[in-house]
Amino acid sequence: MEPTPEQSPHHAYPDHWEADVVLRDGGTARIRPITTDDAERLVSFYEQVSDESKYYRFFAPYPRLSDRDVHRFTHHDYVDRVGLAVTIGGEFIGTVRYDRIDDTGRPASAPADEAEVAFLVQDAHQGRGVASALLEHIAAVARERGIRRFAAEVLPANNKMIKVFRDGGYTQRRSFEDGSVHLTLDLEPTEKSLAVQRGREQRAEARSVQRLLAPGSVAVIGTGRTPGGVGRTVLRNLLAAGYTGRAYAVNRAFDEGLATLDGVPAHRSLGEIDEQVDLAVIAVPAHRVPEAVADCGEHGVQGLVVLSAGYAERGAEGRELQRELVRQARSYGMRIIGPNAFGIINTAETVRLNASLAPESPARGRIGLFTQSGAIGIALLSGLYRRGAGLSSFISAGNRADVSGNDFLQYSFEDPDTDVALLYLESLGNPRKFTRLARRTAAVKPVVVVKGARHSGTNPPGHAVPVSRIPDTTVSALMRQAGVIRVDTVTEMVDAGLLLAGQPLPAGPRVAILGNSESLGLLTYDACLAEGLRPRPPIDLTTAASPQDFRDALAEALADGTCDAVIVTAIPWVGENGEAETGDGQVLAEALTKAVAGGSAKPVAVVHVEIGGLAEALAAASSTAAPRPRTVTPAAQPRAATKATTARATTARATTARATTARATTAGTPEARGAATAPAAPATPEAATAPEAATSQEATPRPGRIPAYPAAERAVRALAEAVKYAQWRRQAAVPGKIPEFLDDTIHEAGAAALIEAQLATAPDPRGRPLSHDEARELLGHYGIDVRPTLPAPDPEAAVAAAARLGYPVALKTTAPHLRHRADLGGVRLDVADEEALRRAYGELTDLLGKPAELLPVVQAMAPRGVDTVVRASIDAAAGAILSFGLAGAPSELLGDTAHRLVPATDRDAAELIRSIRAAPVLFGWRGSAPVDTAALEELLLRLSRLVDDHPEVVSVALEPVVVAPQGLTVLGASVRLAPPPARSDVGPRRLPNY
């Protein structure tokens, strides 16, 4: 929408105020500034508002707007007078306006910081959250224009409007004057207003996905007249799944006399359908999609699944077509899955929707699946089907131009039919929002993610989203911080999903292993050690073990308080004739299922080799199991260890009576070789969490699906992910905090003034690096003391600097190509006196070059300790990231660096320094003295607070930070300032536009 010449040339049309929003019922609308071109729209809108609503707006009967009113409500300067409208299909459904006023309530200009605000929503759209969305956006506009308070006069009977103000979460004052309620709202966001905003966002976006997945009627546009083709295939799959709603076939090429197709009504256009159509599946060529979308919009369709290809995956021209498709659909209040989508599935008994190209609708289950790739979606559906697993919902989003993984998380969070969310992602349109939503969802149910295109540095074809430049290792660390289970392959995702959906969370890392193969038990034992678990010695039931022996051994292991999970290993039985019997999967499945029927609080997984039908039998045995709650409750204290498991029964297959006492296998295990009975102790004290302290178990365990795996490594890896996730859940139940003592030593205003002054001298939008002294001053405002350095352009200056600092000193080069490169000889340490300093200076210049090239400096020596590096940087997509590692080869060569999102809590800081592989060096490795990790954690918290308070600080590197047994010393610091990148996760709710 462009401004007209009548509008003030000093305040151009603010197109950045335009936004697509999701309303309470899941429909979309557009919010934009009102312009002079909107006169007719405003009059038409006002005519559709009831007399009662007009009375509430103007406090008197006001049947129509005068020409003067229309002019006043459509002419704004976008500073002191602003009007916003909510539109659907180009027509107004709601408006809001503010006028800046002074202390007497008269029109004013800046610096007056109060404005009078008034709303009007069409009666047919009241209750959809229109006014709430308008309040968020008009408040953001007002803050941008220097307005800090809204004043509003509301009639006491206007309860709906009073509720909008009351529920917004802003600080407010209320009084009753002259027969009306006078409200004053402070527009500074509060924790409550942010929580309200995000809560509304979650409910609205979840509802928008729910409308797509549970439509009352579906029209397939582009259904072929003959079998085959995309549209006809979708219609066939829809009917084969037993869809409970109404279905329609639509194709403008149908013969006029065609009444039905495949048993459903056939129509040439949506306009011929007399009933409401909730969902349209579009399967026509790309050039015909705009016509189909317009037809859907005109007839009130709520959502679209666009299977058509030929969009952003084809290049720049296709990308623009894709953007126009989204704009067109949203203008009618519709959301889109696709384009280039594979389809959607909902297995709920009340829906039974298969609006996809998948020929087999999956069984009903507790797993929700989202994928950005049709091919990967096919593979995942096939893999789950083969293993007897079921789904609650499935979305293949294709180019994910609108509905994305974030929307799926919003839906999964509150979907009672989903216990586990699986996502295959190739791009993250809004990483900050993703980590926020994933953290909230993971607190109540597991989120498992495979990230494709990890190392390309670009987005896949068709994904028109911002590209993040942060390394994949950093992305993985940030996902882990948010509680996401990050796996590398779709096979691992299915493996983890099956375990998490069917079994309770483990209370700790202790694993019991039992089975009828010593060798398979040892492979499982080794795999457990490799994944950081704590396996007990495998229990060998011998090849003569019967299904009853398995049942007894499993039941006893489940009752044993010294283990947290059980892995059952099984190979085919050997019959009397010496041939393997592979057909006993059903019998073994029944025995294992009965063992867990009592409601064990421990997860069970099965590793089997060529036992026909076992996985399918295990799935069938629990297919009717009720959903299990995932409430986190304190774990029961382990009871005394039971005596050795005994397999009592003699097998019918044995030709002679033999003892079947199960022996705890020791041959080949560490115990038999004199090793400790448990794996090596964790590298850090905090990592050695006693199993007795575990607090995550199912509240009321019920029998679930026992997952079966064809390899020990796959079962153990899935279990290890469950163990780590359960530990995260226990920790997340008591969130970390930022210590209050930081507030007393931080001078935020002083830092802000310094930053403002420095940026004022740097017109370059890329910002500027600070000098050593400037960086020291800025960091000093946050209690980060950087040891001073003095320039030494010649030997005499070096001697003078050392005399000022005091011996012993260090002589270092600061040239960029030699900085932090002690291995190249650019650093001389423990220089004890003037003679040694002059000699070191001469050696340095003789070896590496002239002083003007080396830029040598002198610095007082710091106490000996461990050299570390602490960094903070801002990624435009992911946000501020705090990083830690050991200086030199560990972090630079081996990539041993840990990362956390800012703001970091005390728990984040503690985990950060303990999560690198070289962490034992900090905790007394090989007899060395442990260093002051408490001081290191405080430094991390201070730096986190700095970049969180001041987004203009786009990069900080503290290197090296020498951590001694008592205290630490920051020897070097570099800081870069720049205008902060725009954030996509703050401000009023809005859908992304890519």
Side-chain angles (χ1 to χ4, degrees):
M1 184 73 66
E2 296 296 328
T4 69
E6 296 181 52
Q7 293 171 295
S8 170
H10 302 293
H11 306 295
Y13 178 81
D15 54 9
H16 65 287
W17 293 350
E18 295 183 355
D20 293 318
V21 297
V22 184
L23 300 177
R24 182 180 299 156
D25 61 358
T28 65
R30 186 158 187 80
I31 294 179
R32 64 168 177 82
I34 298 174
T35 73
T36 55
D37 292 334
D38 289 322
E40 291 185 6
R41 293 186 185 87
L42 181 65
V43 171
S44 175
F45 158 73
Y46 193 76
E47 289 175 349
Q48 298 178 63
V49 175
S50 69
D51 291 340
E52 181 183 47
S53 294
K54 293 173 183 176
Y55 186 88
Y56 285 151
R57 169 64 176 85
F58 293 103
F59 290 22
Y62 216 89
R64 65 185 59 85
L65 296 175
S66 67
D67 291 343
R68 182 178 179 182
D69 292 329
V70 173
H71 183 276
R72 183 164 65 96
F73 292 147
T74 57
H75 286 69
H76 305 94
D77 62 8
Y78 301 129
V79 177
D80 300 326
R81 300 180 309 281
V82 174
L84 300 180
V86 181
T87 67
I88 294 179
E91 299 301 320
F92 287 7
I93 66 167
T95 62
V96 65
R97 173 187 171 92
Y98 80 65
D99 293 87
R100 195 189 300 258
I101 58 175
D102 59 18
D103 294 340
T104 65
R106 300 178 63 84
S109 298
D113 61 358
E114 184 171 332
E116 188 175 37
V117 66
F119 297 76
L120 186 60
V121 177
Q122 205 174 90
D123 293 68
H125 294 277
Q126 291 178 10
R128 300 185 65 197
V130 174
S132 298
L134 279 173
L135 177 58
E136 289 180 21
H137 283 261
I138 198 68
V141 167
R143 290 193 297 270
E144 181 181 327
R145 296 311 194 199
I147 292 172
R148 298 290 172 258
R149 290 181 306 282
F150 273 161
E153 298 289 338
V154 185
L155 288 175
N158 193 356
N159 294 318
K160 291 181 180 178
M161 199 64 244
I162 293 175
K163 187 175 188 300
V164 168
F165 288 120
R166 184 184 68 229
D167 294 348
Y170 298 102
T171 303
Q172 61 177 274
R173 294 175 295 280
R174 185 186 310 185
S175 61
F176 189 79
E177 302 174 9
D178 300 327
S180 66
V181 179
H182 181 80
L183 295 167
T184 302
L185 274 71
D186 293 335
L187 300 183
E188 189 65 28
T190 65
E191 288 188 12
K192 183 178 179 181
S193 68
L194 184 60
V196 167
Q197 177 180 315
R198 289 179 172 173
R200 288 171 174 166
E201 172 193 66
Q202 187 277 321
R203 291 187 294 273
E205 293 179 359
R207 174 61 179 156
S208 72
V209 175
Q210 194 269 341
R211 295 205 315 178
L212 290 163
L213 286 172
S217 55
V218 177
V220 181
I221 301 176
T223 306
R225 290 170 290 180
T226 58
V230 173
R232 190 67 175 270
T233 299
V234 171
L235 180 62
R236 181 197 65 201
N237 296 341
L238 183 70
L239 299 176
Y243 175 56
T244 60
R246 303 181 305 278
Y248 305 95
V250 179
N251 190 330
R252 67 178 185 179
F254 283 159
D255 296 332
E256 291 189 11
L258 183 66
T260 63
L261 184 70
D262 291 342
V264 303
H267 299 277
R268 292 165 57 87
S269 70
L270 280 179
E272 297 179 1
I273 303 175
D274 295 331
E275 299 174 296
Q276 168 70 34
V277 175
D278 296 329
L279 176 70
V281 180
I282 298 180
V284 300
H287 69 274
R288 287 182 47 203
V289 170
E291 177 187 350
V293 172
D295 198 17
C296 292
E298 293 296 334
H299 292 87
V301 174
Q302 295 180 349
L304 307 175
V305 176
V306 181
L307 307 182
S308 311
Y311 288 91
E313 75 276 9
R314 297 290 181 87
E317 183 178 351
R319 186 174 297 112
E320 186 52 41
L321 286 175
Q322 183 168 298
R323 288 170 178 156
E324 181 55 36
L325 168 64
V326 174
R327 284 194 290 266
Q328 183 187 16
R330 288 180 179 172
S331 72
Y332 289 107
M334 298 182 294
R335 299 211 68 182
I336 295 178
I337 291 176
N340 198 23
F342 184 72
I344 61 176
I345 297 173
N346 182 355
T347 64
E349 188 63 28
T350 56
V351 182
R352 297 201 299 270
L353 173 74
N354 181 6
S356 78
L357 297 172
E360 293 287 346
S361 184
R364 194 178 170 199
R366 310 292 303 174
I367 297 174
L369 176 59
F370 177 92
T371 172
Q372 291 178 355
S373 163
I376 295 298
I378 295 171
L380 286 168
L381 288 174
S382 176
L384 289 166
Y385 181 80
R386 286 196 311 271
R387 298 177 69 175
L391 292 178
S392 58
S393 58
F394 166 77
I395 294 178
S396 172
N399 293 0
R400 39 90 68 230
D402 182 20
V403 173
S404 68
N406 286 348
D407 296 294
F408 185 73
L409 285 176
Q410 300 276 42
Y411 171 77
S412 299
F413 172 71
E414 63 177 26
D415 179 29
D417 293 330
T418 298
D419 284 343
V420 180
L422 308 184
L423 296 92
Y424 171 78
L425 305 176
E426 292 178 343
S427 61
L428 294 174
N430 189 339
R432 298 189 204 217
K433 183 175 179 179
F434 175 82
T435 54
R436 170 169 59 85
L437 301 185
R439 178 187 289 272
R440 185 194 58 198
T441 305
V444 295
K445 60 186 67 174
V447 177
V448 188
V449 171
V450 172
K451 177 69 169 63
R454 292 180 294 169
H455 305 297
S456 65
T458 60
N459 288 321
H463 292 230
V465 299
V467 177
S468 176
R469 300 299 180 185
I470 59 177
D472 182 66
T473 54
T474 306
V475 173
S476 184
L478 300 184
M479 285 190 177
R480 291 286 183 187
Q481 182 186 4
V484 173
I485 300 171
R486 170 80 183 271
V487 294
D488 293 330
T489 68
V490 292
T491 300
E492 292 178 356
M493 179 165 71
V494 172
D495 286 345
L498 291 178
L499 180 71
L500 292 164
Q503 295 296 305
L505 295 177
R510 304 169 300 174
V511 182
I513 304 168
L514 60 92
N516 63 350
S517 168
E518 178 180 341
S519 299
L520 191 53
L522 290 175
L523 287 173
T524 306
Y525 183 93
D526 291 340
C528 286
L529 291 177
E531 292 292 337
L533 301 177
R534 297 172 55 185
R536 294 172 49 188
I539 298 174
D540 181 16
L541 303 179
T542 77
T543 56
S546 69
Q548 182 63 41
D549 297 331
F550 273 90
R551 176 181 175 178
D552 294 341
L554 177 55
E556 191 154 0
L558 293 174
D560 186 353
T562 64
C563 72
D564 305 305
V566 182
I567 297 179
V568 178
T569 63
I571 63 172
W573 287 271
V574 177
E576 296 180 7
N577 58 2
E579 295 182 358
E581 298 182 5
T582 61
D584 287 327
Q586 178 70 41
V587 179
L588 180 58
E590 290 177 359
L592 297 177
T593 303
K594 289 178 180 178
V596 302
S600 168
K602 299 177 184 177
V604 177
V606 173
V607 178
H608 68 99
V609 177
E610 297 300 328
I611 299 183
L614 177 59
E616 295 81 357
L618 286 170
S622 56
S623 61
T624 59
R628 298 168 301 99
R630 286 191 172 272
T631 306
V632 177
T633 59
Q637 292 295 318
R639 62 180 179 82
T642 59
K643 55 186 179 181
T645 304
T646 303
R648 300 180 303 276
T650 56
T651 67
R653 299 180 182 84
T655 55
T656 60
R658 62 167 67 94
T660 58
T661 303
R663 52 190 172 85
T665 303
T666 56
T669 65
E671 287 78 3
R673 295 188 290 270
T677 58
T684 66
E686 287 73 10
T689 303
E692 291 76 10
T695 60
S696 177
Q697 287 193 15
E698 299 300 328
T700 309
R702 301 181 186 178
R705 181 189 191 279
I706 301 176
Y709 302 88
E713 296 77 11
R714 289 173 57 179
V716 171
R717 192 172 296 120
L719 179 59
E721 295 294 352
V723 169
K724 287 183 282 189
Y725 169 69
Q727 182 182 16
W728 181 89
R729 279 275 293 269
R730 291 191 293 271
Q731 294 174 343
V734 184
K737 59 183 182 298
I738 299 176
E740 296 180 358
F741 70 82
L742 293 179
D743 296 333
D744 300 330
T745 56
I746 287 177
H747 305 288
E748 185 176 346
L754 187 153
I755 291 170
E756 182 179 1
Q758 294 297 332
L759 286 178
T761 64
D764 189 340
R766 294 173 297 180
R768 59 173 291 247
L770 297 185
S771 68
H772 175 74
D773 290 340
E774 291 167 343
R776 284 191 68 228
E777 182 182 358
L778 175 61
L779 293 167
H781 284 299
Y782 275 73
I784 301 173
D785 182 28
V786 181
R787 182 151 294 203
T789 61
L790 299 178
D794 53 55
E796 299 305 322
V799 170
R804 178 178 173 184
L805 296 173
Y807 289 99
V809 297
L811 178 65
K812 304 187 291 186
T813 64
T814 59
H817 66 289
L818 294 172
R819 192 175 181 85
H820 307 308
R821 292 300 305 275
D823 56 315
L824 298 181
V827 179
R828 297 292 188 274
L829 301 176
D830 288 317
V831 181
D833 51 35
E834 179 179 340
E835 179 182 354
L837 179 58
R838 292 183 181 276
R839 182 170 60 252
Y841 199 99
E843 292 172 353
L844 207 64
T845 53
D846 290 343
L847 176 65
L848 300 175
K850 298 178 181 179
E853 300 171 348
L854 303 181
L855 305 176
V857 297
V858 174
Q859 190 174 50
M861 285 295 297
R864 294 287 186 179
V866 177
D867 288 0
T868 66
V869 56
V870 175
R871 293 190 177 95
S873 61
I874 293 182
D875 179 84
I881 299 169
L882 189 65
S883 305
F884 170 77
L886 299 192
S891 58
E892 296 177 13
L893 179 61
L894 302 178
D896 188 17
T897 306
H899 312 274
R900 290 294 185 275
L901 283 174
V902 169
T905 66
D906 54 353
R907 176 174 293 158
D908 292 327
E911 292 175 351
L912 190 61
I913 65 176
R914 289 160 176 80
S915 57
I916 60 173
R917 295 190 299 276
V921 174
L922 303 171
F923 294 92
W925 182 62
R926 300 183 68 177
S928 62
V931 301
D932 193 347
T933 54
L936 186 56
E937 292 169 17
E938 182 179 331
L939 174 67
L940 291 165
L941 289 170
R942 290 183 181 278
L943 183 58
S944 169
R945 176 78 177 270
L946 170 65
V947 296
D948 189 46
D949 288 346
H950 307 284
E952 300 87 353
V953 182
V954 296
S955 175
V956 179
L958 307 180
E959 184 178 7
V961 177
V962 182
V963 190
Q966 294 292 329
L968 57 77
T969 308
V970 181
L971 296 182
S974 59
V975 178
R976 185 174 186 84
L977 303 181
R983 293 188 59 171
S984 56
D985 64 327
V986 296
R989 291 173 283 159
R990 63 173 60 211
L991 287 170
N993 291 304
Y994 300 125

